[in-house]
Amino acid sequence: TPQATLQSARKRLEMAGNPLQMDPAFFLALRFVFAVVFSGTIIFVTITGKRPWLQGLGLATVFLIIGFAFPDLWITSRIRTRQRSVFRAMPDALDLLTICVEAGLGFDAAMSKVHEKWDNDLALEFGRVIQEIRLGKLRRDALRDMAERLGVAEMTSFVAVVIQSEQLGVSMAKVLRIQSDQ
């Protein structure tokens, strides 16, 4: 359905970090624009170059498909790049979180420190979580949303452990130390 398509596009844009601050409807429209531009260029070249129509029509169809798929391929590439960046930043971030919590800071303040110290995708996501918590969202919901936006299995596991330790009342420093060691 159109609503499901918009929702899927919104999720993929969020997973990619929403490059260019695109609206999902704009992203979907961009797919059609690229398809028309790519195939239109081939048709124009066919007409002006006096090439065989059948060859031009076949080539235009191929470029129509390529143009339609191009934005989707681009966003998939951005998602993979972002996920790799987050995966690489996780060990250092977990170490800093552990040190901050063991030094007496709360978990939210430790996430703020990670956000302040670094300028990478994971630090920006921690900053977004802190902002959502300040606006009234529950920590567990903000963390789950972050894990869903990132789409990194290790981050999803980390978030699940943090939420579970919060619910069971286990020391956050111990949990972070174990996660950091892993």
Side-chain angles (χ1 to χ4, degrees), residues 23-178:
D23 184 60
F26 178 76
F27 175 72
L28 293 174
L30 196 63
R31 294 178 76 182
F32 290 104
V33 168
F34 270 94
V36 169
V37 168
F38 279 27
S39 64
T41 302
I42 296 301
I43 290 172
F44 178 75
V45 168
T46 301
I47 292 171
T48 59
K50 295 184 172 78
R51 304 218 182 242
W53 274 97
L54 192 58
Q55 181 185 17
L57 188 60
L59 203 53
T61 304
V62 169
F63 273 83
L64 179 83
I65 293 168
I66 290 171
F68 188 76
F70 181 75
D72 199 44
L73 294 172
W74 175 73
I75 207 75
T76 300
S77 171
R78 295 288 299 215
I79 289 170
R80 285 190 189 130
T81 302
R82 186 167 187 243
Q83 287 175 337
R84 252 184 265 124
S85 167
V86 167
F87 182 75
R88 288 185 185 134
M90 273 187 70
D92 293 333
L94 288 177
D95 285 341
L96 184 58
L97 283 172
T98 303
I99 290 168
C100 289
V101 170
E102 286 178 346
L105 289 178
F107 186 67
D108 294 348
M111 284 193 298
S112 280
K113 283 290 182 195
V114 171
H115 176 67
E116 289 172 17
K117 299 285 182 191
W118 291 320
D119 185 29
N120 58 27
D121 291 320
L122 184 57
L124 293 174
E125 281 297 325
F126 278 146
R128 184 169 173 181
V129 167
I130 293 300
Q131 189 177 33
E132 288 175 353
I133 291 170
R134 286 181 184 151
L135 292 173
K137 196 176 225 182
L138 294 174
R139 183 192 307 170
R140 67 176 174 262
D141 293 337
L143 287 170
R144 280 187 192 126
D145 290 347
M146 176 187 69
E148 188 176 316
R149 279 191 305 269
L150 293 175
V152 177
E154 291 79 8
M155 181 55 73
T156 304
S157 171
F158 169 72
V159 165
V161 168
V162 167
I163 291 170
Q164 188 176 28
S165 72
E166 183 182 66
Q167 290 173 341
L168 297 175
V170 178
S171 169
M172 189 64 74
K174 285 183 181 180
V175 169
L176 289 173
R177 174 60 59 198
I178 292 168

